[in-house]
PDB file of all heavy atoms in Angstrom:
ATOM      1  N   MET A   1      34.002 -75.649  24.822  1.00  0.00           N
ATOM      2  CA  MET A   1      32.977 -75.091  23.924  1.00  0.00           C
ATOM      3  C   MET A   1      31.622 -75.709  24.141  1.00  0.00           C
ATOM      4  O   MET A   1      30.580 -75.035  24.232  1.00  0.00           O
ATOM      5  CB  MET A   1      33.399 -75.200  22.445  1.00  0.00           C
ATOM      6  CG  MET A   1      32.534 -74.468  21.401  1.00  0.00           C
ATOM      7  SD  MET A   1      32.965 -72.739  21.363  1.00  0.00           S
ATOM      8  CE  MET A   1      31.780 -72.200  20.178  1.00  0.00           C
ATOM      9  N   THR A   2      31.604 -77.041  24.266  1.00  0.00           N
ATOM     10  CA  THR A   2      30.343 -77.730  24.554  1.00  0.00           C
ATOM     11  C   THR A   2      29.786 -77.349  25.893  1.00  0.00           C
ATOM     12  O   THR A   2      28.590 -77.063  26.035  1.00  0.00           O
ATOM     13  CB  THR A   2      30.542 -79.257  24.477  1.00  0.00           C
ATOM     14  OG1 THR A   2      30.828 -79.686  23.135  1.00  0.00           O
ATOM     15  CG2 THR A   2      29.367 -80.005  25.006  1.00  0.00           C
ATOM     16  N   LEU A   3      30.588 -77.279  26.910  1.00  0.00           N
ATOM     17  CA  LEU A   3      30.168 -76.984  28.260  1.00  0.00           C
ATOM     18  C   LEU A   3      29.609 -75.588  28.325  1.00  0.00           C
ATOM     19  O   LEU A   3      28.540 -75.318  28.902  1.00  0.00           O
ATOM     20  CB  LEU A   3      31.344 -77.049  29.262  1.00  0.00           C
ATOM     21  CG  LEU A   3      31.805 -78.510  29.518  1.00  0.00           C
ATOM     22  CD1 LEU A   3      33.020 -78.490  30.452  1.00  0.00           C
ATOM     23  CD2 LEU A   3      30.727 -79.400  30.036  1.00  0.00           C
ATOM     24  N   ALA A   4      30.250 -74.586  27.626  1.00  0.00           N
ATOM     25  CA  ALA A   4      29.744 -73.251  27.571  1.00  0.00           C
ATOM     26  C   ALA A   4      28.467 -73.154  26.872  1.00  0.00           C
ATOM     27  O   ALA A   4      27.540 -72.430  27.275  1.00  0.00           O
ATOM     28  CB  ALA A   4      30.794 -72.336  26.909  1.00  0.00           C
ATOM     29  N   GLY A   5      28.281 -73.844  25.713  1.00  0.00           N
ATOM     30  CA  GLY A   5      27.089 -73.780  25.007  1.00  0.00           C
ATOM     31  C   GLY A   5      25.893 -74.359  25.831  1.00  0.00           C
ATOM     32  O   GLY A   5      24.811 -73.780  25.805  1.00  0.00           O
ATOM     33  N   MET A   6      26.138 -75.483  26.539  1.00  0.00           N
ATOM     34  CA  MET A   6      25.096 -76.093  27.314  1.00  0.00           C
ATOM     35  C   MET A   6      24.695 -75.270  28.510  1.00  0.00           C
ATOM     36  O   MET A   6      23.648 -75.559  29.128  1.00  0.00           O
ATOM     37  CB  MET A   6      25.496 -77.474  27.721  1.00  0.00           C
ATOM     38  CG  MET A   6      25.725 -78.426  26.503  1.00  0.00           C
ATOM     39  SD  MET A   6      26.169 -80.164  26.975  1.00  0.00           S
ATOM     40  CE  MET A   6      24.681 -80.726  27.726  1.00  0.00           C
ATOM     41  N   SER A   7      25.521 -74.309  28.864  1.00  0.00           N
ATOM     42  CA  SER A   7      25.077 -73.416  29.934  1.00  0.00           C
ATOM     43  C   SER A   7      23.941 -72.537  29.577  1.00  0.00           C
ATOM     44  O   SER A   7      23.253 -71.917  30.431  1.00  0.00           O
ATOM     45  CB  SER A   7      26.318 -72.569  30.391  1.00  0.00           C
ATOM     46  OG  SER A   7      26.543 -71.577  29.387  1.00  0.00           O
ATOM     47  N   GLY A   8      23.731 -72.388  28.292  1.00  0.00           N
ATOM     48  CA  GLY A   8      22.665 -71.502  27.780  1.00  0.00           C
ATOM     49  C   GLY A   8      23.025 -69.978  27.748  1.00  0.00           C
ATOM     50  O   GLY A   8      22.252 -69.201  27.274  1.00  0.00           O
ATOM     51  N   GLU A   9      24.232 -69.663  28.077  1.00  0.00           N
ATOM     52  CA  GLU A   9      24.709 -68.265  28.103  1.00  0.00           C
ATOM     53  C   GLU A   9      25.501 -67.984  26.834  1.00  0.00           C
ATOM     54  O   GLU A   9      26.581 -68.495  26.701  1.00  0.00           O
ATOM     55  CB  GLU A   9      25.609 -67.992  29.321  1.00  0.00           C
ATOM     56  CG  GLU A   9      24.910 -68.153  30.700  1.00  0.00           C
ATOM     57  CD  GLU A   9      23.856 -67.074  30.907  1.00  0.00           C
ATOM     58  OE1 GLU A   9      23.997 -65.998  30.378  1.00  0.00           O
ATOM     59  OE2 GLU A   9      22.884 -67.397  31.646  1.00  0.00           O
ATOM     60  N   VAL A  10      24.881 -67.202  26.011  1.00  0.00           N
ATOM     61  CA  VAL A  10      25.554 -66.977  24.687  1.00  0.00           C
ATOM     62  C   VAL A  10      26.931 -66.328  24.821  1.00  0.00           C
ATOM     63  O   VAL A  10      27.840 -66.629  24.112  1.00  0.00           O
ATOM     64  CB  VAL A  10      24.613 -66.170  23.759  1.00  0.00           C
ATOM     65  CG1 VAL A  10      24.366 -64.731  24.246  1.00  0.00           C
ATOM     66  CG2 VAL A  10      25.213 -66.087  22.301  1.00  0.00           C
ATOM     67  N   LEU A  11      27.023 -65.360  25.779  1.00  0.00           N
ATOM     68  CA  LEU A  11      28.340 -64.699  25.895  1.00  0.00           C
ATOM     69  C   LEU A  11      29.385 -65.591  26.381  1.00  0.00           C
ATOM     70  O   LEU A  11      30.564 -65.476  26.018  1.00  0.00           O
ATOM     71  CB  LEU A  11      28.194 -63.500  26.810  1.00  0.00           C
ATOM     72  CG  LEU A  11      27.294 -62.344  26.276  1.00  0.00           C
ATOM     73  CD1 LEU A  11      27.278 -61.176  27.250  1.00  0.00           C
ATOM     74  CD2 LEU A  11      27.799 -61.848  24.911  1.00  0.00           C
ATOM     75  N   LEU A  12      29.001 -66.555  27.246  1.00  0.00           N
ATOM     76  CA  LEU A  12      29.975 -67.563  27.686  1.00  0.00           C
ATOM     77  C   LEU A  12      30.478 -68.443  26.562  1.00  0.00           C
ATOM     78  O   LEU A  12      31.625 -68.757  26.374  1.00  0.00           O
ATOM     79  CB  LEU A  12      29.382 -68.508  28.683  1.00  0.00           C
ATOM     80  CG  LEU A  12      30.329 -69.444  29.476  1.00  0.00           C
ATOM     81  CD1 LEU A  12      31.416 -68.664  30.141  1.00  0.00           C
ATOM     82  CD2 LEU A  12      29.551 -70.263  30.478  1.00  0.00           C
ATOM     83  N   ALA A  13      29.460 -68.781  25.624  1.00  0.00           N
ATOM     84  CA  ALA A  13      29.812 -69.553  24.380  1.00  0.00           C
ATOM     85  C   ALA A  13      30.700 -68.739  23.500  1.00  0.00           C
ATOM     86  O   ALA A  13      31.585 -69.334  22.841  1.00  0.00           O
ATOM     87  CB  ALA A  13      28.548 -69.993  23.667  1.00  0.00           C
ATOM     88  N   VAL A  14      30.451 -67.413  23.347  1.00  0.00           N
ATOM     89  CA  VAL A  14      31.303 -66.603  22.491  1.00  0.00           C
ATOM     90  C   VAL A  14      32.732 -66.539  23.079  1.00  0.00           C
ATOM     91  O   VAL A  14      33.758 -66.639  22.359  1.00  0.00           O
ATOM     92  CB  VAL A  14      30.667 -65.167  22.453  1.00  0.00           C
ATOM     93  CG1 VAL A  14      31.680 -64.208  21.715  1.00  0.00           C
ATOM     94  CG2 VAL A  14      29.425 -65.216  21.644  1.00  0.00           C
ATOM     95  N   GLY A  15      32.857 -66.435  24.442  1.00  0.00           N
ATOM     96  CA  GLY A  15      34.202 -66.470  25.051  1.00  0.00           C
ATOM     97  C   GLY A  15      34.892 -67.784  24.802  1.00  0.00           C
ATOM     98  O   GLY A  15      36.123 -67.762  24.594  1.00  0.00           O
ATOM     99  N   ALA A  16      34.160 -68.908  24.929  1.00  0.00           N
ATOM    100  CA  ALA A  16      34.780 -70.202  24.667  1.00  0.00           C
ATOM    101  C   ALA A  16      35.249 -70.281  23.163  1.00  0.00           C
ATOM    102  O   ALA A  16      36.305 -70.849  22.900  1.00  0.00           O
ATOM    103  CB  ALA A  16      33.775 -71.279  25.010  1.00  0.00           C
ATOM    104  N   GLY A  17      34.436 -69.747  22.339  1.00  0.00           N
ATOM    105  CA  GLY A  17      34.804 -69.772  20.882  1.00  0.00           C
ATOM    106  C   GLY A  17      36.088 -68.976  20.650  1.00  0.00           C
ATOM    107  O   GLY A  17      36.922 -69.303  19.856  1.00  0.00           O
ATOM    108  N   PHE A  18      36.240 -67.883  21.400  1.00  0.00           N
ATOM    109  CA  PHE A  18      37.458 -67.048  21.276  1.00  0.00           C
ATOM    110  C   PHE A  18      38.685 -67.897  21.684  1.00  0.00           C
ATOM    111  O   PHE A  18      39.720 -67.836  21.068  1.00  0.00           O
ATOM    112  CB  PHE A  18      37.320 -65.837  22.164  1.00  0.00           C
ATOM    113  CG  PHE A  18      38.528 -64.894  22.032  1.00  0.00           C
ATOM    114  CD1 PHE A  18      38.541 -63.927  21.041  1.00  0.00           C
ATOM    115  CD2 PHE A  18      39.608 -65.023  22.910  1.00  0.00           C
ATOM    116  CE1 PHE A  18      39.622 -63.017  20.985  1.00  0.00           C
ATOM    117  CE2 PHE A  18      40.734 -64.165  22.822  1.00  0.00           C
ATOM    118  CZ  PHE A  18      40.704 -63.132  21.850  1.00  0.00           C
ATOM    119  N   LEU A  19      38.556 -68.662  22.795  1.00  0.00           N
ATOM    120  CA  LEU A  19      39.643 -69.452  23.235  1.00  0.00           C
ATOM    121  C   LEU A  19      39.982 -70.596  22.242  1.00  0.00           C
ATOM    122  O   LEU A  19      41.178 -70.902  22.039  1.00  0.00           O
ATOM    123  CB  LEU A  19      39.293 -70.173  24.623  1.00  0.00           C
ATOM    124  CG  LEU A  19      39.204 -69.172  25.760  1.00  0.00           C
ATOM    125  CD1 LEU A  19      38.826 -69.951  27.043  1.00  0.00           C
ATOM    126  CD2 LEU A  19      40.528 -68.424  26.012  1.00  0.00           C
ATOM    127  N   VAL A  20      38.961 -71.147  21.597  1.00  0.00           N
ATOM    128  CA  VAL A  20      39.245 -72.182  20.570  1.00  0.00           C
ATOM    129  C   VAL A  20      39.991 -71.448  19.455  1.00  0.00           C
ATOM    130  O   VAL A  20      40.964 -72.035  18.888  1.00  0.00           O
ATOM    131  CB  VAL A  20      37.889 -72.763  20.038  1.00  0.00           C
ATOM    132  CG1 VAL A  20      38.192 -73.725  18.809  1.00  0.00           C
ATOM    133  CG2 VAL A  20      37.226 -73.568  21.083  1.00  0.00           C
ATOM    134  N   GLY A  21      39.600 -70.321  19.027  1.00  0.00           N
ATOM    135  CA  GLY A  21      40.290 -69.572  18.009  1.00  0.00           C
ATOM    136  C   GLY A  21      41.713 -69.272  18.372  1.00  0.00           C
ATOM    137  O   GLY A  21      42.613 -69.336  17.546  1.00  0.00           O
ATOM    138  N   MET A  22      41.929 -68.921  19.605  1.00  0.00           N
ATOM    139  CA  MET A  22      43.293 -68.609  20.052  1.00  0.00           C
ATOM    140  C   MET A  22      44.165 -69.823  19.934  1.00  0.00           C
ATOM    141  O   MET A  22      45.310 -69.801  19.502  1.00  0.00           O
ATOM    142  CB  MET A  22      43.247 -68.125  21.478  1.00  0.00           C
ATOM    143  CG  MET A  22      44.620 -67.741  22.056  1.00  0.00           C
ATOM    144  SD  MET A  22      44.547 -67.020  23.720  1.00  0.00           S
ATOM    145  CE  MET A  22      44.024 -68.467  24.699  1.00  0.00           C
ATOM    146  N   GLY A  23      43.605 -71.051  20.429  1.00  0.00           N
ATOM    147  CA  GLY A  23      44.341 -72.319  20.243  1.00  0.00           C
ATOM    148  C   GLY A  23      44.692 -72.604  18.836  1.00  0.00           C
ATOM    149  O   GLY A  23      45.840 -73.003  18.505  1.00  0.00           O
ATOM    150  N   CYS A  24      43.710 -72.441  17.977  1.00  0.00           N
ATOM    151  CA  CYS A  24      43.959 -72.648  16.559  1.00  0.00           C
ATOM    152  C   CYS A  24      45.097 -71.741  16.012  1.00  0.00           C
ATOM    153  O   CYS A  24      45.983 -72.254  15.308  1.00  0.00           O
ATOM    154  CB  CYS A  24      42.707 -72.405  15.688  1.00  0.00           C
ATOM    155  SG  CYS A  24      41.399 -73.600  15.934  1.00  0.00           S
ATOM    156  N   ALA A  25      45.045 -70.523  16.426  1.00  0.00           N
ATOM    157  CA  ALA A  25      46.081 -69.515  15.894  1.00  0.00           C
ATOM    158  C   ALA A  25      47.440 -69.915  16.340  1.00  0.00           C
ATOM    159  O   ALA A  25      48.366 -69.941  15.531  1.00  0.00           O
ATOM    160  CB  ALA A  25      45.705 -68.106  16.427  1.00  0.00           C
ATOM    161  N   PHE A  26      47.620 -70.264  17.636  1.00  0.00           N
ATOM    162  CA  PHE A  26      48.921 -70.652  18.119  1.00  0.00           C
ATOM    163  C   PHE A  26      49.472 -71.888  17.429  1.00  0.00           C
ATOM    164  O   PHE A  26      50.628 -71.962  17.057  1.00  0.00           O
ATOM    165  CB  PHE A  26      48.860 -70.853  19.629  1.00  0.00           C
ATOM    166  CG  PHE A  26      48.637 -69.613  20.421  1.00  0.00           C
ATOM    167  CD1 PHE A  26      48.387 -69.685  21.822  1.00  0.00           C
ATOM    168  CD2 PHE A  26      48.764 -68.354  19.859  1.00  0.00           C
ATOM    169  CE1 PHE A  26      48.203 -68.547  22.525  1.00  0.00           C
ATOM    170  CE2 PHE A  26      48.553 -67.147  20.614  1.00  0.00           C
ATOM    171  CZ  PHE A  26      48.270 -67.270  21.974  1.00  0.00           C
ATOM    172  N   ALA A  27      48.552 -72.887  17.310  1.00  0.00           N
ATOM    173  CA  ALA A  27      49.027 -74.122  16.653  1.00  0.00           C
ATOM    174  C   ALA A  27      49.344 -73.967  15.203  1.00  0.00           C
ATOM    175  O   ALA A  27      50.329 -74.508  14.722  1.00  0.00           O
ATOM    176  CB  ALA A  27      47.896 -75.204  16.851  1.00  0.00           C
ATOM    177  N   GLU A  28      48.493 -73.265  14.501  1.00  0.00           N
ATOM    178  CA  GLU A  28      48.713 -73.028  13.052  1.00  0.00           C
ATOM    179  C   GLU A  28      50.048 -72.259  12.849  1.00  0.00           C
ATOM    180  O   GLU A  28      50.826 -72.608  11.891  1.00  0.00           O
ATOM    181  CB  GLU A  28      47.581 -72.256  12.374  1.00  0.00           C
ATOM    182  CG  GLU A  28      46.259 -73.098  12.386  1.00  0.00           C
ATOM    183  CD  GLU A  28      45.016 -72.212  12.222  1.00  0.00           C
ATOM    184  OE1 GLU A  28      45.180 -71.008  11.979  1.00  0.00           O
ATOM    185  OE2 GLU A  28      43.947 -72.759  12.422  1.00  0.00           O
ATOM    186  N   GLY A  29      50.264 -71.229  13.664  1.00  0.00           N
ATOM    187  CA  GLY A  29      51.501 -70.443  13.496  1.00  0.00           C
ATOM    188  C   GLY A  29      52.701 -71.323  13.814  1.00  0.00           C
ATOM    189  O   GLY A  29      53.783 -71.257  13.091  1.00  0.00           O
ATOM    190  N   ALA A  30      52.594 -72.308  14.757  1.00  0.00           N
ATOM    191  CA  ALA A  30      53.715 -73.176  15.084  1.00  0.00           C
ATOM    192  C   ALA A  30      53.953 -74.191  13.882  1.00  0.00           C
ATOM    193  O   ALA A  30      55.053 -74.458  13.511  1.00  0.00           O
ATOM    194  CB  ALA A  30      53.369 -73.909  16.333  1.00  0.00           C
ATOM    195  N   ILE A  31      52.824 -74.712  13.335  1.00  0.00           N
ATOM    196  CA  ILE A  31      53.003 -75.655  12.244  1.00  0.00           C
ATOM    197  C   ILE A  31      53.683 -75.072  11.007  1.00  0.00           C
ATOM    198  O   ILE A  31      54.559 -75.624  10.459  1.00  0.00           O
ATOM    199  CB  ILE A  31      51.575 -76.189  11.803  1.00  0.00           C
ATOM    200  CG1 ILE A  31      51.017 -77.085  13.024  1.00  0.00           C
ATOM    201  CG2 ILE A  31      51.621 -76.965  10.566  1.00  0.00           C
ATOM    202  CD1 ILE A  31      49.553 -77.420  12.867  1.00  0.00           C
ATOM    203  N   PHE A  32      53.237 -73.845  10.651  1.00  0.00           N
ATOM    204  CA  PHE A  32      53.846 -73.225   9.505  1.00  0.00           C
ATOM    205  C   PHE A  32      55.103 -72.477   9.793  1.00  0.00           C
ATOM    206  O   PHE A  32      55.635 -71.806   8.871  1.00  0.00           O
ATOM    207  CB  PHE A  32      52.829 -72.425   8.702  1.00  0.00           C
ATOM    208  CG  PHE A  32      52.086 -73.326   7.684  1.00  0.00           C
ATOM    209  CD1 PHE A  32      50.896 -73.930   7.981  1.00  0.00           C
ATOM    210  CD2 PHE A  32      52.705 -73.530   6.439  1.00  0.00           C
ATOM    211  CE1 PHE A  32      50.329 -74.768   7.061  1.00  0.00           C
ATOM    212  CE2 PHE A  32      52.156 -74.354   5.543  1.00  0.00           C
ATOM    213  CZ  PHE A  32      50.913 -74.958   5.800  1.00  0.00           C
ATOM    214  N   ALA A  33      55.576 -72.526  11.000  1.00  0.00           N
ATOM    215  CA  ALA A  33      56.981 -72.139  11.278  1.00  0.00           C
ATOM    216  C   ALA A  33      57.867 -73.347  11.030  1.00  0.00           C
ATOM    217  O   ALA A  33      58.980 -73.258  10.513  1.00  0.00           O
ATOM    218  CB  ALA A  33      57.179 -71.754  12.717  1.00  0.00           C
ATOM    219  N   GLN A  34      57.233 -74.589  11.189  1.00  0.00           N
ATOM    220  CA  GLN A  34      58.071 -75.807  10.994  1.00  0.00           C
ATOM    221  C   GLN A  34      58.237 -76.119   9.484  1.00  0.00           C
ATOM    222  O   GLN A  34      59.270 -76.634   9.046  1.00  0.00           O
ATOM    223  CB  GLN A  34      57.437 -76.960  11.675  1.00  0.00           C
ATOM    224  CG  GLN A  34      57.605 -77.011  13.213  1.00  0.00           C
ATOM    225  CD  GLN A  34      57.190 -78.290  13.855  1.00  0.00           C
ATOM    226  OE1 GLN A  34      56.247 -78.253  14.660  1.00  0.00           O
ATOM    227  NE2 GLN A  34      57.760 -79.377  13.457  1.00  0.00           N
ATOM    228  N   VAL A  35      57.144 -75.893   8.738  1.00  0.00           N
ATOM    229  CA  VAL A  35      57.126 -76.382   7.356  1.00  0.00           C
ATOM    230  C   VAL A  35      58.308 -75.819   6.545  1.00  0.00           C
ATOM    231  O   VAL A  35      59.129 -76.608   5.999  1.00  0.00           O
ATOM    232  CB  VAL A  35      55.822 -76.004   6.660  1.00  0.00           C
ATOM    233  CG1 VAL A  35      55.863 -76.199   5.159  1.00  0.00           C
ATOM    234  CG2 VAL A  35      54.680 -76.947   7.167  1.00  0.00           C
ATOM    235  N   PRO A  36      58.455 -74.504   6.315  1.00  0.00           N
ATOM    236  CA  PRO A  36      59.658 -73.976   5.576  1.00  0.00           C
ATOM    237  C   PRO A  36      60.916 -74.231   6.221  1.00  0.00           C
ATOM    238  O   PRO A  36      61.950 -74.306   5.514  1.00  0.00           O
ATOM    239  CB  PRO A  36      59.324 -72.528   5.363  1.00  0.00           C
ATOM    240  CG  PRO A  36      58.440 -72.188   6.594  1.00  0.00           C
ATOM    241  CD  PRO A  36      57.594 -73.352   6.875  1.00  0.00           C
TER     242      PRO A  36
END
């Protein structure tokens, strides 16, 4: 996300943000499969 932002390309930063969101989604789903 930092590297994409420093490129100055907003669409590249948006794409990087999407990947961060995807990682959050997968990890959160895994965590709350374990809890119950």
Side-chain angles (χ1 to χ4, degrees):
M1 188 81 182
T2 291
L3 294 176
M6 294 181 69
S7 73
E9 297 292 333
V10 64
L11 293 183
L12 189 60
V14 171
F18 183 90
L19 291 178
V20 174
M22 182 175 71
C24 288
F26 290 169
E28 292 160 11
I31 290 166
F32 269 94
Q34 285 189 242
V35 166

